[in-house]
Each structure stands twice: as C-alpha cells, then as structure tokens.
Amino acid sequence: MSSTPTPGWLRVLIAVLLVDMLGAGLYLPVSLLYFTKVADLPLSTVGWCLSFAQLATLPLPLLIGRLVDRVGARTVVLGGLVLQGVGFLGYLWVGSPGSLVVFALLAALGQRAYWSSIFTLIAELASGPERDRAYGIAGAAQNTGVGLGAVLAALLLAVGDESAYQVAVVVNAATFLLSALVLWRGLPKTKAAPAPKAQGLGVGPLRDKPFVALVGANTVFALCSGMLALGLPVFMADALAGPGWLVAVLLGANTAALALCQVWVVKRTEGRRRTRVLFVAAVLWTGWGVLMASTLGLPTVAVLPFLLLVTAPYTLAELLHAPTSNALAAAAAPAEQRGSYLATFQFSFALAGAIGPALFTQLFGWHPAAPWLVIAAASLLAGLAMIALERRLPALAVRTRAAEEELASA
C-alpha cells in the first residue's frame, strides 16, 4: 500500500485524540483508587455508583445517533468533550455516593455523546477503503495518548498519596476541555447527512438483526478491552500484593505496543475477513483471561515477567479488534443512517462501561480469579458468534479492501 499524505482533518483529529486520551490514560489506572482513598468510599459502593451512571445513560446513543444524522458529528463531538471535562472536574468535590452519582452521570452523558459521534465524524470525512486506514491511525493516536498518560500514572502511583490522585483527576478534566478547543478551532463544520424518512429514533439499526447481534458480540469484546486497565490495579494491590508502579509499567507497555503497531496490523490484515480477524482476537482474549487467573499461583518474583508475557496476547487482541470492529460497523451501515447505526454500535462500549465496574468488583469479591475466567468464557462465545454472523452481514462489509478488489476483478 503506497504511502499518502495525512489530510489536515485527520491531523486535527490525531491531536484531539492524543490530548484526550492522555488524560484518560493517566486517570483510569487510579480511578477506583481515587474514590476509595481520597473520597473514602467502599470499593463495592464505587463500583455500583459508576455502573448506575453508565446504565442510566445507556439509551442515549439511539437519540444521539439521530441527532448526529441531523446536525453533523462535529457539533456532537464538541458537546461530548465539554460535558466530560466538567463532569470529571466535579469528581474533586465527591464525598458521598450521591455526589459521585451526580458527576458520574454528567461524565457519562459526555461519553455517550462523544463515542456515539467520533467514529461517524471519521466516516463523514474519510471515504471508501480509506476508512480502515483512518480508523487505524485514529486508534494509534488514541493509544499513544493513553501510553503517555500511563507514564504519568506510573509517577503518581509511585507517589501514592491523595494529592497525586487529585492531580490525575484535574489533568483528565483539562484534557477534555483542551481537546474541545483544538477541535473547534482546527476542524471546519461538516454537513449532516440527509435525515432518513419517517423512522423512529434508532429504529433502523434495531430492526437489523445481524447488526444487533454484532453489537451484542462487540459488547463482550469491549468488556475484554477495558478489563486490564479497570481490574489490574485492584488485582495487583489486593490479590498479588505487588507494587503500584508495576501496573503502570504493564499498561504503558500495552499502550506503547498499540501506538507503534496499530497501523502495521491494519495493513497486515488487509484481505482477511473482518469477522475472522475478530474471531482471532476473541481467542487471544480467552487465553489471556485464563492466564491472568493462573497468576494467583505464582511466586512473587515471577509475577512481573509472567504478566509482561501474558499482556502480549491481550495487546494483539486489541490491535486486531479496534480498527476492524469500527470498520465493519461503518461498512455495514446504510449511508443515510450512518450516524444512527454507528451510535448504536457504540452502545456496545456503553454497555460494557456500565456493567464492567460492577461485574469486576462483585466477581473479584467472590474470588480474585473469577473476573478473568468469566471474561475468558464470554470472549470465546462472542468469537463463535462472529463466525456465525459472517454469512448474515453484508458481504462487502465483512471483507477488507484487498478482498473487495479481488471480488471485483473475479
């Protein structure tokens, strides 16, 4: 594949994603610790409060997708960034379950708006086979930002006091607001697609049974993708009794690999069926979950090298999943309802974010190995579902560019 100049709009989005995800990479490893150590809330209470906020905003992608189809994705992305910045900044004043729910709801609303529109914005600006490349570059930018944030998180975890956790919250809020400014100044308004005729909010995607099944399978993949950053800090502190800086090292190694290898992996998977690529990712996550559970039986001296080794299949699964799933969803969506379809697809990430904290904390409270084994089993089932969906999704959505060109010339 010949190299092509990066268009100006994509450079702006790279900057937005870098700044935005730097804050997320810094905040996520200390998120549960912030509320338990600084706000002095019980771990199970934190898990349920965060999950409640996510669940309460679950229906919103269906509404947001319709809004994107009417006003364009850029406006909705901007609003989502600002809402997240304000919501996360409010965490500085959390001192009770009620205040946590209020600000978590505001942040969750912003997350719904942002993640239900950002990939539609890319689809509005990139056409045809260039979308796979654009999604790959966007993913690399996201992971670079997360990696830089993880480096900062390592320093804060090494300090380990309340002020360090508060710094993570402030920086995370500031990055959302800065990202909004960069997008507002650097990216011109895009034209909204014509609104579909006489359809209820989100009805088109919900009637598309193969697409709904794709959303269901991707919910499991999204759970897998978020479980390392969500669960590893608590797993390390409470089950393995390891040092906090080790978490940041592992997350940093993971995100560095994602940033450096994402575009290369997209190129290597050209010509493969997207459903098969996602099946391979599912198998890798299954193996990772089983290996994570087996960490409990290791001597302390072996934990670091073993976890570094175990993180490799997890990272490869993420590299395969992120651009492939988004490109599959975009290609399966009718052009006139792309906003609704892609917002519905982002519902899978919303649902994963909603149930993830409660799922992990409850399973971990039962047994430290339980979250990893449950994730392993669910991932395998989701992978098998992708194989079953292969014949039901549009043929040209399943195939990547090279396969499409081969079919056209046959």
Side-chain angles (χ1 to χ4, degrees):
M1 183 173 63
S2 60
S3 60
T4 57
T6 303
W9 66 264
L10 187 52
R11 289 196 295 269
V12 172
L13 280 182
I14 289 172
V16 168
L17 290 165
L18 273 171
V19 175
D20 174 19
M21 298 310 293
L22 184 147
L26 169 63
Y27 168 75
L28 189 56
V30 303
S31 58
L32 294 180
L33 295 174
Y34 171 80
F35 293 116
T36 56
K37 305 298 184 184
V38 179
D40 198 27
L41 297 174
L43 179 62
S44 61
T45 299
V46 173
W48 281 113
C49 287
L50 295 178
S51 288
F52 172 79
Q54 296 291 326
L55 287 168
T57 56
L58 273 182
L60 290 179
L62 302 179
L63 302 174
I64 293 168
R66 191 65 168 171
L67 180 64
V68 169
D69 285 333
R70 292 185 179 278
V71 304
R74 175 183 177 273
T75 300
V76 182
V77 171
L78 279 171
L81 287 169
V82 172
L83 283 172
Q84 288 179 91
V86 174
F88 282 112
L89 190 62
Y91 283 166
L92 292 174
W93 289 274
V94 167
S96 66
S99 59
L100 173 56
V101 167
V102 168
F103 290 113
L105 281 170
L106 189 59
L109 175 59
Q111 288 174 332
R112 295 292 173 266
Y114 178 76
W115 292 111
S116 297
S117 55
I118 184 66
F119 295 107
T120 305
L121 180 59
I122 295 174
E124 287 178 357
L125 296 168
S127 59
E130 290 304 313
R131 283 186 188 141
D132 286 84
R133 176 177 176 266
Y135 283 131
I137 292 174
Q142 287 178 278
N143 290 312
T144 299
V146 171
L148 294 173
V151 172
L152 296 177
L155 300 176
L156 295 180
L157 287 169
V159 174
D161 61 17
E162 293 187 2
S163 63
Y165 300 145
Q166 289 171 326
V167 166
V169 171
V170 172
V171 172
N172 186 36
T175 56
F176 283 114
L177 299 176
L178 180 57
S179 294
L181 180 62
V182 171
L183 183 65
W184 178 63
R185 294 293 300 272
L187 192 66
K189 292 183 179 179
T190 56
K191 293 182 179 179
K197 297 179 181 179
Q199 294 216 10
L201 298 175
V203 168
L206 294 181
R207 286 179 176 172
D208 189 337
K209 292 182 180 179
F211 192 83
V212 171
L214 174 63
V215 172
N218 198 65
T219 300
V220 177
F221 296 149
L223 273 172
C224 294
S225 182
M227 194 56 67
L228 183 70
L230 175 68
L232 185 59
V234 175
F235 186 63
M236 180 67 69
D238 295 348
L240 301 179
W245 59 263
L246 181 54
V247 175
V249 169
L250 291 168
L251 294 179
N254 166 250
T255 50
L258 293 175
L260 294 172
C261 301
Q262 185 68 88
V263 176
W264 182 85
V265 169
V266 170
K267 185 176 180 180
R268 296 280 78 77
T269 55
E270 284 186 353
R272 306 290 182 181
R273 296 186 181 188
R274 292 183 175 118
T275 46
R276 301 291 175 91
V277 174
L278 293 175
F279 173 75
V280 173
V283 171
L284 289 169
W285 268 321
T286 296
W288 166 75
V290 173
L291 290 171
M292 282 294 290
S294 69
T295 308
L296 291 167
L298 293 178
T300 304
V301 68
V303 169
L304 172 58
F306 185 76
L307 285 178
L308 284 171
L309 180 65
V310 167
T311 304
Y314 173 91
T315 300
L316 181 55
E318 283 201 290
L319 286 166
L320 294 171
H321 167 257
T324 305
S325 60
N326 284 308
L328 176 59
E336 70 276 7
Q337 295 185 65
R338 185 179 296 128
S340 296
Y341 266 73
L342 293 188
T344 302
F345 184 70
Q346 291 305 310
F347 184 84
S348 60
F349 296 97
L351 183 57
I355 66 178
L359 178 68
F360 178 83
T361 55
Q362 294 305 303
L363 289 173
F364 185 82
W366 179 55
H367 192 281
W372 315 115
L373 294 177
V374 169
I375 280 292
S379 180
L380 182 58
L381 290 175
L384 294 173
M386 292 308 306
I387 298 298
L389 279 172
E390 193 169 272
R391 294 180 179 274
R392 302 193 62 194
L393 292 168
L396 292 182
V398 169
R399 293 170 172 84
T400 56
R401 178 174 62 176
E404 292 172 14
E405 291 173 351
E406 182 180 344
L407 284 175
S409 62

